[in-house]
Amino acid sequence: MELKSNIMFSFIHKIKQWYKHQKLIKQSVLIPITSYDQYAALVKEAKDNSKNKVFSNCYMLPAEIKRLIHLKKFYQVKTEQGLAFADDEGDYYYLFLYVNMSVSFTFPSLRKRYFDRKCIL
C-alpha cells in the first residue's frame, strides 16, 4: 500500500513541476532558447553593453549548449540586470550567469521542489 502511495505522490509531484514550469514560460519568466545563434547573440550583447568585465559561471562547451537547446531544456531568465540562462534539470534549474559583479542583481524565484512536512532542510 505504501509503495502505491509513493508512486502516486511522485506522479502528482511531476505534474505540479510541469505545471509550474509551463506557468513560468507563459509569464515570460523563462524564455525558450531556440538556437545556438540566439544564445551567442544574447551573450555578445550582454558583454558589449557592460562597462565592466562580465562575470560568468558558464563553462559549458558549445556542443552541450546545443544539446540542451535541442532537448528544449535551455531558457533565458527574465531579469533587468545582466543575463541569465536556466538549464531545466527536472527537479531543479541550473543557472548560468553573465553579470556585472559591481552592480546588484536579482532573479525571479525558480523553485521547483515541493517538500513534504517530514523533510528537514
Side-chain angles (χ1 to χ4, degrees):
M1 182 72 168
E2 187 173 322
L3 179 61
K4 286 183 181 181
S5 174
N6 286 340
I7 291 171
M8 183 58 88
F9 178 75
S10 177
F11 180 71
I12 291 169
H13 172 71
K14 294 287 183 193
I15 291 172
K16 286 180 180 180
Q17 281 184 325
W18 179 85
Y19 177 76
K20 187 170 183 181
H21 179 77
Q22 293 303 313
K23 186 177 176 183
L24 290 172
I25 292 172
K26 283 183 180 181
Q27 294 172 340
S28 295
V29 172
L30 292 177
I31 303 161
I33 299 296
T34 57
S35 71
Y36 184 80
D37 291 336
Q38 177 189 9
Y39 162 79
L42 289 167
V43 171
K44 183 178 180 340
E45 181 183 347
K47 289 179 177 179
D48 290 347
N49 290 341
S50 180
K51 294 177 184 174
N52 297 335
K53 186 175 178 181
V54 173
F55 165 80
S56 177
N57 66 337
C58 184
Y59 299 104
M60 287 193 299
L61 296 173
E64 177 63 11
I65 295 170
K66 289 175 185 177
R67 185 184 76 80
L68 291 170
I69 292 168
H70 176 73
L71 293 172
K72 299 182 180 184
K73 292 187 169 205
F74 200 64
Y75 302 88
Q76 178 184 357
V77 180
K78 183 180 179 182
T79 180
E80 298 297 321
Q81 307 88 1
L83 178 63
F85 295 100
D87 166 13
D88 183 2
E89 291 288 332
D91 285 340
Y92 61 92
Y93 294 106
Y94 193 102
L95 289 180
F96 299 101
L97 311 175
Y98 291 87
V99 295
N100 179 351
M101 295 298 287
S102 64
V103 178
S104 65
F105 52 91
T106 58
F107 298 106
S109 174
L110 298 176
R111 184 174 172 200
K112 280 184 120 179
R113 296 286 298 180
Y114 291 92
F115 296 103
D116 62 4
R117 293 181 187 160
K118 296 177 186 176
C119 183
I120 299 172
L121 299 176

